[in-house]
Amino acid sequence: TELAQKFSVCSWVRKLVSGSSNLWLSYGASSGIRDEFRMSDTGGYNYMFGSGNPIESSYTSRTSVGSWHHVCITWQYATRERLVYVDGEQIHSWTTPSGRRLAVGGCLLLGNDQDTVCVAGTETSEPFGGELYKLNFYSEVLNSTAIQNLSEDRCADTEVEFDSIRVIKWEEIFNQTRNGNVQNMDAGCTTWKLIADIEQDLQQARQKIMELKLEIQQANIRINTTSTQLETSQLKLAETQEHLNSTKEILETTRENLVTKTTQLAETKYELQVMGNNLTHTTEALATKTTQLADIRQELEVAINKECQVNRTVESTWDLLYSPEFSNEILTVEKLQYFTKNIEKL
């Protein structure tokens, strides 16, 4: 039922026997007709719903006996358009009858035409002599790009990309019941697959080499950057070392100056201690002298008081002349000297 209104069928076909009208695909249904859908290896039976347009000239001009060719047929009920592609190129277009859908519940036969729908027996005059490979039915109408991609490499697994719409798969067809002279053949893809795998490995290796080259380039850039940073660091280290040496010299000079100053300070301290001791002795001597001076002064005052009994009321020089020492006395040189001396005291 998935194919009743639209489908695509594609296969690799290799014709090995000359002649025409050899069917490699035939579908019939009791609800329809024997020739619901069929295709020959020369395009002579390009049928659908019991009729069609032979396309032998356009088909055979693009195919040859002994060579692999990719064949696709697409159809849809909405447009009634049936298209035929050979090796990715559209070679035919035909409009099917109006209102006609693909009959369901029928039988699909590969390699021959059905004598009677879904009944054992085939047309003995129309067997397909050749090979089929990767025959798949799709539930959608494949566009020309998809068909072109499928036709590019027989050994590639391009059909897997359409697994969501691949409703009848070659893997399933390959395991169906077989009648007649049907053999498994090497499609020639083992070597090609090996070559393809090697090429893929080489491509991956090339990609890996490119990635490694890029990583090496990036590593070289990092190395160059690190080298530049290292040179800069070495210059800074040299400058720092030079500064440290200068600082060391300054510290050494400062240490020597400190030792000198410490020595000088010790010497000054000693001198100050000596001067302190001397000052103490001098202070003591001065105190003694002061005491002695006070005693002498006191003695002088006593002596002066004895020599000059000056009345405490004497306030001027004239009062001194009227003191007992001078009043009514003869003025002699000694009296004058004594008078002068006492004036200074007064």
Side-chain angles (χ1 to χ4, degrees), residues 25-45:
L25 176 64
S26 173
Y27 173 73
S30 57
S31 59
I33 58 176
R34 185 182 70 167
D35 298 329
E36 276 291 300
F37 172 52
R38 64 179 180 171
M39 189 68 181
S40 68
D41 58 4
T42 60
Y45 287 132

Side-chain angles (χ1 to χ4, degrees), residues 139-157:
S139 60
E140 296 288 342
V141 174
L142 298 177
N143 58 34
S144 58
T145 301
I147 293 173
Q148 177 65 39
N149 291 339
L150 287 168
S151 68
E152 286 180 351
D153 188 351
R154 178 167 52 89
C155 295
D157 296 326

Side-chain angles (χ1 to χ4, degrees), residues 258-271:
L258 183 60
V259 172
T260 301
K261 295 298 182 182
T262 302
T263 303
Q264 292 176 350
L265 182 61
E267 293 175 353
T268 302
K269 183 177 180 181
Y270 177 75
E271 291 176 356

Side-chain angles (χ1 to χ4, degrees), residues 197-246:
D197 291 342
I198 292 174
E199 289 180 347
Q200 184 178 2
D201 292 341
L202 287 174
Q203 183 63 29
Q204 292 175 350
R206 293 189 191 100
Q207 181 65 28
K208 188 64 176 178
I209 289 172
M210 292 298 294
E211 293 174 357
L212 289 174
K213 284 183 178 179
L214 180 60
E215 290 179 1
I216 290 172
Q217 290 176 355
Q218 293 174 346
N220 285 332
I221 292 174
R222 290 195 296 269
I223 289 172
N224 291 334
T225 301
T226 303
S227 178
T228 302
Q229 293 174 346
L230 182 60
E231 290 176 358
T232 303
S233 298
Q234 287 176 341
L235 291 175
K236 290 183 179 179
L237 181 61
E239 293 175 357
T240 303
Q241 187 63 44
E242 184 178 355
H243 181 69
L244 287 174
N245 292 336
S246 299

Side-chain angles (χ1 to χ4, degrees), residues 108 110 135-137 168-176:
L108 177 66
L110 303 181
L135 192 156
N136 295 283
F137 279 82
I168 301 178
K169 301 179 181 180
W170 173 246
E171 304 92 286
E172 299 168 349
I173 294 173
F174 193 79
N175 293 320
Q176 295 300 311

Side-chain angles (χ1 to χ4, degrees), residues 167-191:
V167 293
I168 301 178
K169 301 179 181 180
W170 173 246
E171 304 92 286
E172 299 168 349
I173 294 173
F174 193 79
N175 293 320
Q176 295 300 311
T177 302
R178 307 174 188 183
N179 295 304
N181 184 18
V182 181
Q183 302 177 16
N184 292 338
M185 304 296 292
D186 185 359
C189 285
T190 304
T191 303

Side-chain angles (χ1 to χ4, degrees), residues 326-344:
F326 297 99
S327 179
N328 297 319
E329 293 289 335
I330 298 173
L331 184 59
T332 63
V333 174
E334 291 80 6
K335 291 279 187 184
L336 182 59
Q337 292 177 347
Y338 187 80
F339 176 74
T340 304
K341 181 177 179 182
N342 280 282
I343 287 176
E344 293 175 358

